[in-house]
């Protein structure tokens, strides 16, 4: 196992989902994250019927932020000190892409 990716529904009414991903550091920078996340976005829009898919990451995690940007997702928020992790307050970035944006880029 080199990592974990997930896609889940956050609102049935608003047809919204969220993606998440974690890769072992030995496999960073090899395209696995982009390949897996591209497939999850495709499944979210084509099979699950989502209108919008969001992704979040620690603001210090620039590789994850860049990955979401390369996938066509746009940064919508920088949430200040909204999570308390490992005895410190951390910032979080929120990214999203709409179905119509996904289709236009595909």
């Amino acid at each position: 196992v080199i990592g974990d990716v997930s896609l889940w529904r956050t609102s049935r009414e608003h047809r919204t989902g969220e993606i998440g991903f974690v890769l072992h550091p030995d496999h960073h920078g090899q395209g696995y994250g982009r390949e897996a996340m591209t497939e999850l976005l495709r499944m979210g829009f084509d099979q699950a019927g989502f209108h919008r898919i969001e992704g979040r990451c620690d603001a210090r995690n620039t590789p994850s932020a860049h990955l979401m940007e390369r996938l066509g997702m746009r940064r919508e928020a920088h949430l200040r000190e909204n999570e308390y992790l490992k005895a410190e307050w951390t910032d979080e970035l929120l990214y999203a892409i709409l179905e119509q944006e996904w289709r236009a880029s595909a």
Side-chain angles (χ1 to χ4, degrees):
V1 176
I2 65 169
D4 178 43
V5 297
S6 55
L7 170 69
W8 62 95
R9 181 180 317 276
T10 56
S11 172
R12 185 174 305 278
E13 177 184 2
H14 302 295
R15 295 178 36 219
T16 304
E18 188 169 337
I19 56 172
F21 53 94
V22 177
L23 286 178
H24 188 280
D26 290 349
H27 302 284
H28 287 182
Q30 298 179 35
Y32 298 127
R34 185 172 185 169
E35 182 179 350
M37 298 315 292
T38 297
E39 183 60 17
L40 283 186
L41 289 172
R42 186 196 66 71
M43 290 172 57
F45 292 123
D46 290 350
Q47 295 176 4
F50 292 140
H51 168 71
R52 171 186 169 89
I53 297 176
E54 299 175 351
R56 299 169 179 263
C57 69
D58 187 304
R60 299 168 295 185
N61 189 341
T62 54
S64 289
H66 289 152
L67 172 57
M68 287 188 276
E69 291 167 3
R70 286 192 309 276
L71 291 167
M73 301 178 83
R74 108 192 118 273
R75 185 191 305 184
E76 293 190 336
H78 183 142
L79 306 172
R80 301 294 312 264
E81 296 186 5
N82 72 311
E83 297 218 339
Y84 193 71
L85 299 171
K86 298 180 182 176
E88 69 176 315
W89 287 105
T90 61
D91 293 3
E92 187 175 39
L93 302 178
L94 171 64
Y95 283 83
I97 187 169
L98 300 175
E99 179 184 15
Q100 64 206 35
E101 295 166 331
W102 170 256
R103 302 238 180 266
S105 69

